[in-house]
Amino acid sequence: MTWAPGRITEAWTETPGTRSLVIDIPHWPGHIAGQHVDVRLTAEDGYTAVRSYSIASSSTSKRLEITVDKLADGEVSPYLVDVAEVGDMVEIRGPAGGWFIWRQHAGARAGDGENMRPVQLIGGGSGIVPLMSMIRSHGDAHSAAPFRLLYSVRTPERALFRDELVRRAAEDAPLEVTWNFSRATPAGWPTPPERLDREHVMASVFAPAERAAVYVCGSTPFVETVANWLVDAGYDAADIKTERFGGVVPA
Ligand SMILES: Cc1cc2nc3c(=O)[nH]c(=O)nc-3n(C[C@H](O)[C@H](O)[C@H](O)COP(=O)(O)OP(=O)(O)OC[C@H]3O[C@@H](n4cnc5c(N)ncnc54)[C@H](O)[C@@H]3O)c2cc1C
C-alpha cells in the first residue's frame, strides 16, 4: 500500500474531545466495514508521525470518514481534533485490515445462510468507531441480519453517535442497542452508573448457541476482559474478533 494525498473536506465536533473528519482522496477504492486507514502527518522539518484510525462511514458509499478521540498527552490526536482544518492535506494509506471486517449483503433475508448470521458488536469508548461503520453499512444496505450493539462509555456526553444510534435502533428493525454508562447516566436512567461487568454483558448479548459473529473493540484491557467473559460463557473463540486501539504504527 502506498501513501496518497488526502484533503480534509468536512470536520465537526462529535462530543467534547472528539472530532469527525471527511477526507477526500483521488481514486479512493472504498472500504469494507471495520477497516482502518493510516494517517501520516509531516512537520515542516520533515518529522513524520503515523497513527491508525478506523473508518466510521458506511461501506455502501465511497466516503472516507474517521472519528478521532483526543488523548491530551498524545502526538497526533490533539492535532486532528484541535488544529486540522477543512482544506488541510494529510497523507493516507489504506484501506487496511482483512480480519476485523463485516461485509453487508444487500437485502439479506431469512434463510440466506451466512449473510443472515447474527452479529454482536461490543464497543468501549472510541472503540465504537469501526462498529459504527458496520451499523451504518447494515442499515444502509437494508440487511435483515440481526444486529446487537453493547456500547460502554463513561458518561452520556462522551457517547459517540448517540442520537444516530437511538434513531437507527428505532428505524432499523434488526438493530438493538444496549448502553452501559460507567461514571454518569442520562437523566432518568433506570439504573445507577456502574462499571461494565460480566452479568451485564451476558444479559445483553446473543446466547452462545446462536453462534453470532462477535466484534469487540476498545482499549486493550476492555477487549481482553470482555473476550474472556464470552469464552468463559461458552462462546467459541473462533467466533470472536477483536480490535485493540493504542500503540504507534511504524511509518
Ligand atoms: C487499528 C486501529 C484503529 C484505531 N482507530 C481509532 C479510531 O477510530 N479513533 C481513535 O481515536 N483512535 C483510534 N486508534 C488509536 C490511534 O491510532 C492512536 O493510537 C490514538 O489516536 C493516540 O495517538 P496519539 O498520537 O494522539 O497519542 P500517542 O502520542 O501515540 O500516545 C500518547 C499516550 O497515550 C497512550 N495511548 C496511545 N494510544 C492510546 C489509546 N488508544 N488509548 C489510551 N492510551 C493510548 C500512549 O501509550 C502514550 O502514553 C486506532 C488504533 C488502531 C491500532
Side-chain angles (χ1 to χ4, degrees):
M1 279 188 294
T2 54
W3 290 102
R7 183 180 300 280
I8 299 171
T9 56
E10 293 173 52
W12 63 94
T13 299
E14 289 284 355
T15 65
T18 65
R19 194 170 185 223
S20 289
L21 305 169
V22 176
I23 302 168
D24 183 51
I25 300 168
H27 314 298
W28 178 249
H31 68 281
I32 305 167
Q35 286 189 304
H36 64 273
V37 290
D38 292 337
V39 178
R40 180 162 73 181
L41 305 178
T42 304
E44 282 177 10
D45 64 1
Y47 172 78
T48 59
V50 179
R51 299 291 184 275
S52 298
Y53 292 98
S54 300
I55 303 172
S57 35
S58 169
S59 55
T60 58
S61 81
K62 287 196 173 181
R63 180 180 170 95
L64 171 58
E65 184 181 313
I66 61 172
T67 301
V68 181
D69 184 23
K70 181 171 88 170
L71 295 182
D73 63 341
E75 199 171 44
V76 171
S77 60
Y79 178 84
L80 293 174
V81 172
D82 293 336
V83 181
E85 291 178 3
V86 169
D88 285 356
M89 301 296 293
V90 292
E91 286 179 287
I92 298 289
R93 184 170 62 184
W99 165 249
F100 194 85
I101 54 172
W102 180 79
R103 293 175 194 272
Q104 82 280 358
H105 297 274
R109 290 289 168 264
D112 237 357
E114 181 67 14
N115 300 350
M116 277 298 293
R117 188 174 180 192
V119 173
Q120 178 67 58
L121 310 173
I122 305 177
S126 55
I128 184 72
V129 176
L131 311 182
M132 196 63 198
S133 176
M134 296 179 192
I135 288 169
R136 286 170 166 160
S137 305
H138 171 261
D140 295 351
H142 306 290
S143 167
F147 253 53
R148 281 191 192 170
L149 167 69
L150 169 59
Y151 184 17
S152 183
V153 67
R154 288 181 186 174
T155 66
E157 294 71 33
R158 290 179 67 112
L160 284 167
F161 318 119
R162 189 165 163 220
D163 292 347
E164 183 179 347
L165 284 169
V166 169
R167 176 178 61 74
R168 284 189 179 270
E171 288 174 358
D172 298 349
L175 172 65
E176 290 174 50
V177 179
T178 309
W179 299 86
N180 177 257
F181 296 101
S182 61
R183 302 265 176 94
T185 63
W189 198 252
T191 51
E194 59 185 355
R195 216 176 143 85
L196 186 66
D197 61 16
R198 188 189 293 263
E199 287 66 36
H200 191 157
V201 171
M202 297 324 301
S204 308
V205 300
F206 289 105
E210 296 186 70
R211 295 300 305 268
V214 184
Y215 299 84
V216 189
C217 185
S219 67
T220 299
F222 176 88
V223 167
E224 289 179 357
T225 303
V226 170
N228 284 335
W229 288 340
L230 294 173
V231 172
D232 288 349
Y235 267 85
D236 187 336
D239 290 336
I240 304 170
K241 296 185 179 183
T242 59
E243 182 122 286
R244 297 159 172 79
F245 281 7
V248 177
V249 187

